[in-house]
Every structure is written in C-alpha cells, then in structure tokens.
Amino acid sequence: MKPTILANEQETIAFGKQLANGCLNYLSMHDSVIVIYLIGDLGAGKTTLSRGFLQQLGHTGAVKSPTYTLVEPYQFANFSVYHFDLYRLNDPEELEFMGIREYFSSRSICLIEWPEQAQGVLPKADIEIHLTYLALERTVCVKAKSDIGQAIINLL
Ligand SMILES: Nc1ncnc2c1ncn2[C@@H]1O[C@H](COP(=O)(O)OP(=O)(O)OP(=O)(O)O)[C@@H](O)[C@H]1O
Ligand SMILES: [Mg+2]
C-alpha cells in the first residue's frame, strides 16, 4: 500500500477503525490469530491508532499504552485483542515468563507497539503498520507480511 498522509489525530483514529473493520471481516470468515506490528518513533501515533481500532470494536473505556504492564487484554464477544507496548521490555525472555503463547492462541488480534524490542520471541507479523513523522502530520504505510495479512488488506 502507498504511504498515506494522516493529517491529524482524528485521521489516525479513523485509520485504526478502518483496520479494525478489515480484521473483523476476516475473523467473521476464519478462525485465526492476527498479529499486527505497529512500528514508528516515540509519539508517531501507535497508541492513537490502537485507540481507534478498539473503539471500532465497541470498547468504550480508555485505551492507554500498557507501558509498565507490557500488555492490556480486551475481551469481545467471540475474540480477544491484546495491546502490547514493549518499549520498556528489558529482556525478551520476560515475555516467555508472562506466558505470551496464550495471547497468540486462536481468535485473537495482537496489536504490538515496539515489536523490535522482542525480536526472536514474538510470532511473525501478518501486517506491519509503519508510522512516520512529517512536520505536524504523520504518514502511514501498511505492509502485508503473510497471506492472512494480505487477505485483511484486501478487505480494507
Ligand atoms: N496524524 C496525526 N497528526 C498529528 N498528531 C497526531 C497524529 N496522530 C496522533 N497524533 C498525536 O501524537 C501524539 C502521540 O501519539 P501516540 O501516543 O499515539 O504515539 P505512540 O506512537 O503510541 O508513542 P509511544 O512510542 O510513546 O507509545 C498524541 O498527542 C496524538 O494526539
Ligand atoms: Mg504508545
């Protein structure tokens, strides 16, 4: 997908909602785990995108980056979303101790900020979202990294 400009916070939220719809669509047809890496500098909009994503699925409360707890679970009617922020992960093994395998079991969507911090421990991405700073706005670029990811992008 070509890089797209997100002119303000609302557009980042709207993009997160669009991505959520694609994932919902996919999960309505397949039992699967969807792994989404959110890649970009501090303040690039990863949590903002996750907020739009979760709101679209019907979550009404706050969405904060789980900077200290590393992961925040959200339960929906027939699937779960796990929102990770691995910025403060010291040792990728910590994730093994947390039992992350369970998070990557059937019918879940994993949104992962700072996946670079856990290379070699995390499952591979189905979709990578790259967020980049411009002067004020951001750009977003979406890359399919698996057949599942490509199918979801085709549904957007
Ligand atoms: N498209 C946009 N244009 C301008 N500002 C934006 C845009 N999207 C998000 N922001 C703003 O950028 C700020 C940082 O966003 P956010 O917390 O989502 O970043 P992050 O990538 O999660 O950062 P961190 O790596 O620290 O977790 C917020 O104030 C948010 O409102
Ligand atoms: Mg964040």
Side-chain angles (χ1 to χ4, degrees), residues 43 45-48 64-67 83 85 113-114:
K46 302 179 294 295
T47 301
T48 307
K64 290 196 216 120
S65 229
T67 308
H83 179 204
D85 179 354
E113 299 188 33
W114 296 103

Side-chain angles (χ1 to χ4, degrees), residues 35 37 70 84 86 89-104 110 112 114-125:
V35 179
Y37 287 4
L70 300 178
F84 291 82
L86 303 180
L89 183 72
N90 295 314
D91 182 344
E93 275 198 2
E94 272 180 59
L95 287 177
E96 305 267 22
F97 296 139
M98 282 165 57
I100 61 156
R101 257 165 251 282
E102 244 180 72
Y103 298 118
F104 299 94
C110 295
I112 310 177
W114 296 103
E116 305 91 324
Q117 296 287 95
Q119 265 172 13
V121 178
L122 288 176
K124 289 202 168 52

